[in-house]
Amino acid sequence: MFKLLTFMILCVLVLPAAVFGRTCDDLGGGQAYQPMDFNGSTVCFVFTKTPTEEGQLSRDPDGIAIYSLSKSEKSRLVYEFPYAGTKGKINDAFAIFVSAASEEMFFVIHSVEAPRAWDVISDVYDVSVFVFEGGALVRDELRSGFFDMGGDMKDNVGELSYVYPYKDKISVSKAVRSILFEVAGMPVPISGVVKEKSFLYGSDTEPVIQEPSRVYLIKGDEVAVEQSMAGWCKVSFVTKVKRVQKWMQCKSIAFSERQ
């Protein structure tokens, strides 16, 4: 009787471990980065095969996807990172407490080798922000859009004209403490003052970096930042004739700590 009772107790103790003892290795494909714990869930980074139009698996380098494992749900696909048909990797993953939102968020820095046809001279980076909503890990589209994606570029004369500013944990952590990140996605312009002579770039949705305009602002000019992404700020300012909207690099704008 004692042996039977002991066996039953062991079954009760061991069975949950067997049921909930799933690991990232069980997802197949191979791990692209070490698993991490976030808010009681295991975050897995898994290599994925890309199917061709004929339904066959591509011979191109694998893509990377993020999955979550928890006791309350089966393994769940959370997000597939940008894919360009080239080799990609997870550069870093970490949690940061975001004071403005009063919650901890999960940040992932991912990069891919730039295809030859792209006008960049470095790998192409992107930063994704993840939060828990309704007990599930989800990608925060607005805050991820703040970091967006990009790679270093040169202008028409070969000078370095743009450096993607969020390639490591230090730069991401600094950005999270900025006023621009705090108001990301909010329809409220942020006032700023230009720190140095800065050329402006056109286009409505994103800057056309290869084609700077002849228009520029100088130190002391006041602007209103209406949107920011990948280190670029969409600004508006008033001339003697009209209000103008252009893009410029956010690093050339000074902001007060609180507005």
Side-chain angles (χ1 to χ4, degrees), residues 32 136 156 217 232:
N156 295 331
L217 297 176
W232 290 94

Side-chain angles (χ1 to χ4, degrees), residues 127-176:
V127 179
S128 289
V129 185
F130 299 91
V131 297
F132 263 90
E133 289 184 1
L137 185 68
V138 297
R139 187 172 187 263
D140 187 317
E141 298 298 335
L142 284 178
R143 291 186 172 92
S144 297
F146 169 85
F147 294 103
D148 200 54
M149 65 185 298
D152 303 350
M153 302 185 71
K154 290 184 177 181
D155 58 22
N156 295 331
V157 296
E159 297 291 334
L160 189 63
S161 59
Y162 168 71
V163 174
Y164 181 75
Y166 311 120
K167 297 177 181 177
D168 54 38
K169 182 178 180 179
I170 293 176
S171 57
V172 170
S173 299
K174 182 179 179 181
V176 168

Side-chain angles (χ1 to χ4, degrees), residues 17-31:
V19 173
F20 300 128
R22 295 164 297 179
T23 67
C24 296
D25 287 327
D26 298 332
L27 296 172
Q31 295 186 43

Side-chain angles (χ1 to χ4, degrees), residues 30-227:
Q31 295 186 43
Y33 196 76
Q34 68 265 24
M36 300 188 69
D37 292 327
F38 181 62
N39 276 11
S41 292
T42 300
V43 180
C44 306
F45 304 89
V46 181
F47 284 115
T48 60
K49 291 292 184 182
T50 305
T52 63
E53 294 181 357
E54 293 76 21
Q56 302 296 321
L57 293 180
S58 172
R59 294 183 179 181
D60 291 335
D62 294 340
I64 300 176
I66 185 170
Y67 284 79
S68 66
L69 297 177
S70 68
K71 294 182 179 180
S72 61
E73 62 178 355
K74 297 180 180 179
S75 59
R76 185 175 61 85
L77 173 64
V78 178
Y79 179 66
E80 293 181 282
F81 292 96
Y83 183 73
T86 56
K87 187 177 181 180
K89 65 179 180 179
I90 302 297
N91 297 273
D92 206 348
F94 46 87
I96 298 178
F97 183 80
V98 180
S99 300
S102 299
E103 67 175 303
E104 193 172 45
M105 299 182 183
F106 192 69
F107 295 77
V108 181
I109 303 174
H110 166 263
S111 66
V112 295
E113 295 177 353
R116 293 181 179 180
W118 291 18
D119 295 327
V120 294
I121 60 172
S122 69
D123 288 348
V124 179
Y125 290 80
D126 60 272
V127 179
S128 289
V129 185
F130 299 91
V131 297
F132 263 90
E133 289 184 1
L137 185 68
V138 297
R139 187 172 187 263
D140 187 317
E141 298 298 335
L142 284 178
R143 291 186 172 92
S144 297
F146 169 85
F147 294 103
D148 200 54
M149 65 185 298
D152 303 350
M153 302 185 71
K154 290 184 177 181
D155 58 22
N156 295 331
V157 296
E159 297 291 334
L160 189 63
S161 59
Y162 168 71
V163 174
Y164 181 75
Y166 311 120
K167 297 177 181 177
D168 54 38
K169 182 178 180 179
I170 293 176
S171 57
V172 170
S173 299
K174 182 179 179 181
V176 168
R177 297 191 298 269
S178 71
I179 184 67
L180 287 178
F181 183 79
E182 185 175 323
V183 300
M186 296 183 182
V188 180
I190 302 299
S191 299
V193 178
V194 177
K195 297 190 293 184
E196 58 192 356
K197 180 179 178 179
S198 302
F199 283 93
L200 304 177
Y201 297 76
S203 183
D204 183 48
T205 56
E206 61 183 36
V208 180
I209 304 175
Q210 299 87 344
E211 300 178 8
S213 68
R214 296 181 180 180
V215 180
Y216 60 85
L217 297 176
I218 60 174
K219 182 177 180 179
D221 284 342
E222 296 182 354
V223 295
V225 177
E226 301 178 356
Q227 183 184 351

